[in-house]
Amino acid sequence: MVSYGVFLPVGNNGWILSTTSPQYEPTFELQRSIVERAERHGFDFALAMLKYRGYGGQTQHWNHTIDPMTLMAALAPLTSTIKLYATVSPLSYNPIVVAKMAQLIDEISGGRFGINLVAGWNRSEYAQMGAWRGDDYYGYRYDYLSEFTQILLTAWERGRVTFHGEYFDIDDCEVAPVPTGHIDLISAGTSPRGRRFVAEYADYHFGAGGDAEEVAASNAALAAASAELGRTPGAFAQTLVVLGDTDADARRKAELYQQGVDLGAVAGMVREYSNDTSTDGSSAMVAESHRADVSPFYGGRALVGSPQTVADHLNAIAAVPGTAGVMLTFDDFLEGTDRFGTEVMPLLAHLPARAAATVPAPKG
């Protein structure tokens, strides 16, 4: 079975850099409404990214963002079934603080909380607050994140941590109470070192989107990195959905968004990703995709089509060995979440039992 989740638009205008796409601020009311809709339709999880500096341009893309840990703490008592993931970077949080914050959010949610761990690649985000460790950090960021994660896991397991590493020095630190159950970890590393981090510590990999062949290659690389450790983390693919009544209607929307592409914001995004000196990870792939094709869609592509076309594509991804979930973004998140729940979910072949039971049966 494959889970479906929503990647919350905690930055203004979500994942489309365009003046002609839906424009919105990342208010709490918007996030609450999206998550309540997602839960009602049987989505399995919601994830919020971490972002401290945007890409500018005419739309000031992602110049306005809200904090994911605070957001999930606020959403936890307002929801009952959907899993809530917040993103954490070791450059902006102490691992002991994260351990305690996570324990309480997990308690509030009744065991529905998880963390998406990112190493922190964007120099300008952290330099502006004095948290950047210098450009050599690009080379050791996953070693840094590994120590952070070891401390986090020890804190949750034992409630007390002593750790003397290369980057962290924790001495007999009290971290009680501990969570009553397991708190899932996700990470999106796509370089060989990033995949090894996932293989060592994560429950899920925030992997490739695209077509089934690309997802299969990403899943196979993760499986190879994990095999020698005896672990089998699942993979979450990401897909930006532009849904229309027909394929032609969906293409009309996508073409409209392309006409309004915010060139300033795209240039700002490429510039920020190009700061990353690594050449084999997600930063390089995102930068290259937008250099090659000035697309308004984050990562350069979107899944554009009717409910049947979208469902066919997702069913192909879901059938790829290792796929544990698909994380969705939309052009219009309120309409998109509702339409996906009522028009696409009945056409999906790999839904968990809970989600399959909560969406309407297909007509006819």
Side-chain angles (χ1 to χ4, degrees):
M1 294 294 102
V2 172
S3 299
Y4 285 84
V6 58
F7 200 178
L8 294 174
V10 298
N12 58 302
N13 300 342
W15 278 263
I16 304 181
L17 299 85
S18 173
T19 61
T20 49
S21 62
Q23 308 287 297
Y24 44 82
E25 287 294 306
T27 62
F28 173 71
E29 178 58 28
L30 175 63
Q31 316 305 316
R32 181 196 62 77
S33 187
I34 294 168
V35 171
E36 287 181 346
R37 282 171 161 80
E39 185 171 72
R40 186 165 63 246
H41 289 299
F43 282 65
D44 295 279
F45 65 93
L47 189 149
M49 70 171 180
L50 178 69
K51 195 70 180 172
Y52 292 117
R53 190 176 185 90
Y55 302 131
Q58 184 176 345
T59 59
Q60 296 190 326
H61 193 80
W62 287 359
N63 286 27
H64 305 242
T65 61
I66 57 176
D67 177 69
M69 291 289 277
T70 310
L71 173 62
M72 293 316 190
L75 290 173
L78 303 179
T79 53
S80 58
T81 60
I82 197 166
K83 184 121 183 178
L84 303 171
Y85 289 98
T87 300
V88 166
S89 164
L91 294 181
S92 51
Y93 290 97
N94 180 283
I96 299 299
V97 175
V98 171
K100 293 191 72 66
M101 295 169 72
Q103 180 276 325
L104 183 56
I105 300 174
D106 193 58
E107 179 185 335
I108 295 168
S109 68
R112 293 181 290 113
F113 183 63
I115 289 179
N116 175 40
L117 288 169
V118 297
W121 61 270
N122 193 327
R123 179 176 64 198
S124 65
E125 289 191 49
Y126 298 99
Q128 68 179 356
M129 64 179 81
W132 185 243
R133 297 179 61 87
D135 285 0
D136 59 341
Y137 179 70
Y138 287 121
Y140 68 82
R141 57 186 169 183
Y142 281 106
D143 297 330
Y144 191 85
L145 183 60
S146 293
E147 288 196 3
F148 180 97
T149 307
Q150 291 169 38
I151 295 165
L152 192 63
L153 294 173
T154 301
W156 287 338
E157 180 183 353
R158 303 176 188 173
R160 186 179 294 270
V161 181
T162 295
F163 183 93
H164 303 297
E166 186 173 354
Y167 309 109
F168 291 92
D169 193 34
I170 309 292
D171 188 45
D172 191 31
C173 187
E174 295 181 348
V175 206
V178 300
T180 57
H182 178 76
I183 295 178
D184 285 342
L185 298 179
I186 304 178
S187 186
T190 55
S191 66
R193 180 63 184 93
R195 285 197 191 94
R196 189 165 84 247
F197 172 83
V198 174
E200 290 174 333
Y201 299 108
D203 299 283
Y204 299 103
H205 181 222
F206 189 9
D211 57 28
E213 288 74 20
E214 291 170 291
V215 171
S218 178
N219 290 5
L222 176 63
S226 306
E228 63 186 57
L229 299 174
R231 302 187 72 247
T232 55
F236 287 164
Q238 181 187 352
T239 301
L240 193 165
V241 176
V242 177
L243 191 63
D245 295 335
T246 63
D247 287 348
D249 182 43
R251 286 195 298 270
R252 176 191 58 78
K253 292 182 182 181
E255 289 165 2
L256 174 65
Y257 305 155
Q258 180 67 57
Q259 291 168 13
V261 60
D262 187 341
L263 296 176
V266 171
M269 180 172 63
V270 171
R271 182 174 59 251
E272 293 301 321
Y273 275 96
S274 298
N275 286 335
D276 188 345
T277 55
S278 63
T279 58
D280 56 358
S282 59
S283 298
M285 288 188 290
V286 170
E288 189 57 35
S289 69
H290 286 277
R291 287 194 193 98
D293 178 16
V294 183
S295 168
F297 305 115
Y298 185 89
R301 67 179 71 186
L303 172 53
V304 179
S306 66
Q308 187 65 63
T309 295
V310 169
D312 290 344
H313 181 95
L314 295 177
N315 282 333
I317 290 175
V320 174
T323 300
V326 179
M327 185 157 57
L328 303 164
T329 59
F330 300 99
D331 50 347
D332 183 316
F333 272 81
L334 297 179
E335 178 186 277
T337 302
D338 277 338
R339 290 198 67 178
F340 189 90
T342 57
E343 299 177 42
V344 179
M345 273 190 164
L347 305 175
L348 298 177
H350 302 272
L351 285 178
R354 182 184 64 77
T358 55
V359 295
K363 296 180 180 179

